[in-house]
Amino acid sequence: MIVNLKLSVETVKRLGDKAAREGQTLEGLLQNLAEHEAGASRNAKPSDVEPEDDEDRPWRGLFVLDYPREEIFAVEHEVNVNALPPLPAEIRIDARRMADESE
Amino acid sequence: MSPNDPWYEIVGPDSPLDQGDLILRCPILTWDQTKPLTVTKAGDEEFLREHIASFRADVLVFTQACDLEHHKVRNVVLGPHRPVSEIRVAWDARMREMGQTPSAKAWRRYCEDIADGYVWNQIFLNSFDSTGLSTELRVVDFHDLFTVPRDFLESLLRQRQEARLRLRPPYREHLSQAFARFFMRVGLPQPVSPAW
């Protein structure tokens, strides 16, 4: 979690010195620190992570992607169809057997 | 070889099929969904014949190890997985379809969400690098599952005579748990009122 605090004069001076030593501005240094903190917070326990707006993450939940597929029978589709085994016969009622049972 | 890799072990072609086996370019028989799937007249046999699709996919064995070991199943449940570089291409296209910018930052957040379990239907498989057998990071998708006869799959592996990767415990159970979470999730008609 990132908490914005009002920095003391002394802290600002020390950070300004650090920024000068590293050849960057104070704003740049603070930005780098904020990004570093954000990275650290991602590695924190889930309960410590500040939830973000789901609108920024439209993939959350079920996110389905269409991948390219390597078709096997794209050219020889007829071969594939003809290779199908015949479907089993439908259930048939034997009229003679029904007549026997009714007697 | 990386015999001490925590995620994977390398098994030979004669090793019995097991949960967590990664099988590359596995032949799959399924429905051709590029054609209309609405039955408009009697005779579903002919409809079925016209809608058969066959393709190759990289898959992972989902069937429980004990069911395979004790020969309790004739068919093996497989889940597809793709290299993350291919997922990136598909994700970029999907983001554009949704009117979103597929920035590097958004991609990073998407991957973090998969890793953290926020994307219910996807989970990462770690990368692996070894002499003769390596893979980049991969993403398993629970949305499409396939079944293949066990006899067919085992004979295919014997015929290929190639080593394959096998997920080690607890990574395979972690994947199994993620699939269970995806499958058993229940949506409420009305969510809890946010009185906080």
Side-chain angles (χ1 to χ4, degrees), chain B residues 39-106:
Chain B
V39 180
T40 54
K41 56 186 179 184
D44 51 1
E45 294 93 340
E46 194 56 35
F47 183 84
L48 180 59
R49 286 173 192 274
E50 291 173 357
H51 285 79
I52 296 165
S54 184
F55 62 93
R56 296 187 193 280
D58 297 343
V59 294
L60 184 134
V61 175
F62 277 33
T63 302
Q64 297 277 6
C66 50
D67 280 344
L68 290 168
E69 185 179 349
H70 298 293
H71 294 269
K72 300 288 187 189
V73 290
R74 283 193 304 172
N75 294 309
V76 180
V77 180
L78 306 170
H81 52 86
R82 309 290 297 205
V84 75
S85 55
E86 290 184 20
I87 299 287
R88 174 78 189 260
V89 174
W91 177 85
D92 272 19
R94 185 78 183 97
M95 283 297 100
R96 290 200 173 89
E97 278 176 22
M98 298 168 77
Q100 303 270 333
T101 305
S103 64
K105 185 180 176 186

Side-chain angles (χ1 to χ4, degrees), chain B residues 139-158:
Chain B
V139 177
V140 183
D141 193 335
F142 302 138
H143 195 247
D144 272 327
L145 292 185
F146 310 106
T147 55
V148 166
R150 178 179 185 165
D151 291 345
F152 166 76
L153 199 51
E154 288 184 326
S155 63
L156 180 82
L157 296 174
R158 282 195 301 274

Side-chain angles (χ1 to χ4, degrees), chain A residues 42 52 56-65 67-73 77 80-81 84 87, chain B residues 25 45 49 52 54-56 82 87 94 98 106 109-110 112-113 118-122 141 182:
Chain A
R42 278 196 296 273
E52 295 184 46
D56 293 339
R57 299 174 183 247
W59 51 78
R60 280 200 171 182
L62 190 69
F63 189 70
V64 179
L65 298 171
Y67 317 115
R69 287 180 167 182
E70 184 192 344
E71 302 289 339
I72 296 177
F73 295 115
H77 192 67
N80 182 31
V81 170
L84 258 185
L87 291 171
Chain B
R25 302 186 71 249
E45 294 93 340
R49 286 173 192 274
I52 296 165
S54 184
F55 62 93
R56 296 187 193 280
R82 309 290 297 205
I87 299 287
R94 185 78 183 97
M98 298 168 77
R109 292 163 74 189
Y110 171 60
E112 287 164 2
D113 273 359
Y118 288 114
V119 187
W120 299 324
N121 59 313
Q122 294 174 344
D141 193 335
F182 166 77

